[in-house]
C-alpha cells in the first residue's frame, strides 16, 4: 500500500471547528486538533492507527474520489462543511469539499473509516466530547455506547433524546446484572431534557452491581428525586469562565451583556444570533459562530 496523508478541516455549523490528519503506510498516526478559541483551550490528541484501519481508510478514500459526486459538496443549513485533501505517493494530491454527506454514499463511508481511527475507549475528556459532537453531525455517533473501562461505562451521546430511551435500555440490558457500572452523562447537553426520561433509573437502582453516575450539576437533583443516592453521583468538573462570569467570544468580542448570557443559558440559539448581530453589527455567519462559541462556553463552564 502506498504512503498516504489524509487531512480534513471540519466546520460544524453550530460548534467549534477542528481538523483531523491521518498519515502513514501500513500503519500510521491519527491526530485530532481544535485550535484555541475564546476561553476554550487547544485540543490535540494523537493515536496510532493499525494496519487494518489504514488499509480500510486508503481503500474507502480511493473509492470516494473515483465515484465523486458533485452533489456531495452542495451546501445546506445546520450541518457540517468539510474541506479535505488526499495525498498519496502513487498520485497527485486530490482536494475535495463535502457538506453533511448522507449514510450510504462513498463520502460517508470514508468518514466512518476516519472516525474508526478514534475509538471511544481511547478518547476521553474534551477530546472525546468534541469528537462525539462532530460524529453526531454525521450520524456516526450512537445515542449510547458501552466502553470497556473498568468498571464498564455506559456513555450517553451529547444530543441523546427521550426518543432514544429504548435503545439506551436495550444496551443496558446486555450487561451482566452483577457488573459494576458507571453511567457517564457528563457530555449530555443541558437542552436534551431530563435524564430520568432517557434512562431506566428504576432498573438501574435494582442492579446487583454498583452503579455510579457522572453528570452535569443541572441533572443531579432529578436523579436524587428518582432515588439515586447523592453519594453515588459525581458532578462533572467545571471551571469558572472568569471572575465576573462574562466570556470572550468570536476571538475578541467581550460578551458582557446580561441578555446574551441569559439567552445562552436558556439555549435560545436564534435569539442569541439576533442579539449578536444587533449589538455588534455582525454578519449572520459571524453571529452564528459567536453564538455557537458562547453556547459551548456556558455549557462547559458555570457563569459566576
Amino acid at each position: 500500500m502506498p504512503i498516504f496523508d489524509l487531512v480534513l478541516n471540519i466546520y460544524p455549523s453550530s460548534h467549534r471547528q477542528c481538523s483531523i490528519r491521518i498519515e502513514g503506510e501500513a500503519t500510521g498516526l491519527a491526530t485530532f486538533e481544535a485550535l484555541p478559541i475564546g476561553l476554550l483551550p487547544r485540543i490535540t490528541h494523537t493515536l496510532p492507527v493499525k494496519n487494518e484501519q489504514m488499509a480500510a481508510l486508503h481503500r474507502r478514500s480511493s473509492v470516494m474520489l473515483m465515484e465523486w459526486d458533485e452533489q456531495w459538496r452542495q451546501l445546506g443549513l445546520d450541518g457540517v462543511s468539510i474541506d479535505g485533501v488526499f495525498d498519496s505517493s502513487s498520485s497527485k494530491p486530490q482536494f475535495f469539499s463535502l457538506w453533511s454527506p448522507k449514510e450510504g454514499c462513498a463520502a460517508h463511508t470514508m468518514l466512518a473509516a476516519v472516525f474508526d481511527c478514534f475509538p471511544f475507549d481511547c478518547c476521553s475528556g474534551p477530546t472525546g466530547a468534541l469528537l462525539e459532537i462532530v460524529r453526531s453531525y454525521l450520524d456516526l455517533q450512537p445515542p449510547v455506547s458501552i466502553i470497556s473501562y473498568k468498571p464498564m461505562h455506559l456513555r450517553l451521546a451529547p444530543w441523546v433524546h427521550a426518543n432514544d430511551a429504548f435503545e439506551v435500555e436495550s444496551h443496558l440490558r446486555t450487561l451482566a446484572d452483577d457488573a459494576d457500572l458507571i453511567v457517564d452523562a457528563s457530555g449530555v447537553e443541558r437542552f436534551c431534557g431530563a435524564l430520568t426520561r432517557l434512562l431506566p433509573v428504576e432498573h438501574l437502582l435494582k442492579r446487583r452491581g454498583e452503579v455510579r453516575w457522572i453528570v452535569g450539576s443541572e441533572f443531579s437533583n432529578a436523579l436524587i428525586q428518582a432515588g439515586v443516592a447523592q453519594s453515588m453521583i459525581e458532578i462533572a468538573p467545571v471551571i469558572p469562565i472568569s471572575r465576573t462570569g462574562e466570556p470572550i467570544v468570536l476571538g475578541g468580542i467581550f460578551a458582557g451583556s446580561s441578555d446574551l448570557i441569559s439567552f445562552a443559558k436558556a439555549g435560545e440559539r436564534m435569539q442569541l444570533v439576533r442579539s449578536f448581530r444587533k449589538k455588534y453589527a455582525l454578519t449572520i455567519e459571524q453571529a452564528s459562530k459567536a453564538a455557537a462559541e458562547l453556547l459551548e462556553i456556558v455549557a462547559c463552564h458555570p457563569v459566576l
Side-chain angles (χ1 to χ4, degrees):
M1 186 173 69
I3 299 171
F4 72 94
D5 185 2
L6 175 66
V7 178
L8 303 175
N9 294 308
I10 304 169
Y11 307 93
S13 60
S14 299
H15 288 86
R16 191 177 177 186
Q17 74 180 65
C18 53
S19 65
I20 289 175
R21 182 171 190 170
I22 302 174
E23 53 189 328
E25 188 177 10
T27 60
L29 287 176
T31 301
F32 177 79
E33 182 175 21
L35 296 177
I37 183 170
L39 298 177
L40 301 175
R42 176 190 298 271
I43 293 174
T44 303
H45 191 63
T46 300
L47 292 173
V49 184
K50 297 179 181 179
N51 54 3
E52 298 90 349
Q53 295 168 316
M54 290 295 285
L57 182 58
H58 184 274
R59 181 176 63 255
R60 294 181 183 182
S61 297
S62 300
V63 169
M64 178 198 69
L65 292 167
M66 286 190 296
E67 298 181 0
W68 181 256
D69 188 332
E70 284 298 319
Q71 292 184 354
W72 295 343
R73 70 167 78 226
Q74 291 180 358
L75 296 178
L77 297 174
D78 198 24
V80 57
S81 177
I82 301 173
D83 293 331
V85 58
F86 180 78
D87 190 5
S88 171
S89 60
S90 62
S91 64
K92 295 181 179 179
Q94 299 178 74
F95 297 85
F96 57 91
S97 296
L98 302 170
W99 171 263
S100 296
K102 303 301 181 185
E103 187 175 0
C105 73
H108 190 272
T109 302
M110 180 273 293
L111 291 171
V114 168
F115 285 97
D116 283 346
C117 298
F118 296 94
F120 295 114
D121 54 357
C122 296
C123 302
S124 59
T127 298
L130 188 50
L131 277 165
E132 286 177 331
I133 288 171
V134 177
R135 284 193 186 96
S136 296
Y137 274 91
L138 298 164
D139 294 325
L140 290 170
Q141 177 67 32
V144 59
S145 305
I146 304 297
I147 305 176
S148 56
Y149 296 143
K150 291 185 178 179
M152 194 77 70
H153 278 51
L154 184 140
R155 171 77 176 181
L156 296 180
W159 295 342
V160 67
H161 188 273
N163 293 341
D164 301 312
F166 178 77
E167 184 172 349
V168 172
E169 184 169 358
S170 296
H171 276 73
L172 178 62
R173 292 187 182 277
T174 65
L175 303 178
D177 186 64
D178 59 352
D180 292 342
L181 177 67
I182 291 180
V183 178
D184 185 354
S186 58
V188 174
E189 296 194 351
R190 66 181 66 194
F191 319 118
C192 292
L195 285 181
T196 50
R197 295 181 59 197
L198 297 169
L199 290 160
V201 178
E202 185 177 350
H203 171 76
L204 286 161
L205 290 173
K206 293 178 180 178
R207 284 178 59 87
R208 286 184 292 158
E210 182 180 79
V211 179
R212 304 190 68 86
W213 302 72
I214 306 175
V215 301
S217 58
E218 65 272 17
F219 295 123
S220 60
N221 287 338
L223 290 176
I224 292 171
Q225 291 173 7
V228 178
Q230 188 169 3
S231 61
M232 305 303 287
I233 299 174
E234 176 185 340
I235 303 300
V238 290
I239 303 171
I241 55 180
S242 76
R243 291 183 178 180
T244 59
E246 296 165 342
I248 296 173
V249 300
L250 199 60
I253 293 175
F254 183 69
S257 172
S258 59
D259 60 341
L260 290 173
I261 300 296
S262 62
F263 290 145
K265 290 176 69 176
E268 298 178 6
R269 189 184 304 275
M270 292 308 300
Q271 186 60 53
L272 194 56
V273 171
R274 294 188 193 102
S275 297
F276 264 116
R277 293 196 70 199
K278 182 178 180 180
K279 187 172 181 63
Y280 298 106
L282 303 177
T283 65
I284 291 178
E285 181 181 9
Q286 290 173 325
S288 296
K289 289 180 178 179
E293 185 179 338
L294 183 54
L295 283 166
E296 184 177 353
I297 290 173
V298 170
C300 294
H301 307 283
V303 177
L304 299 180

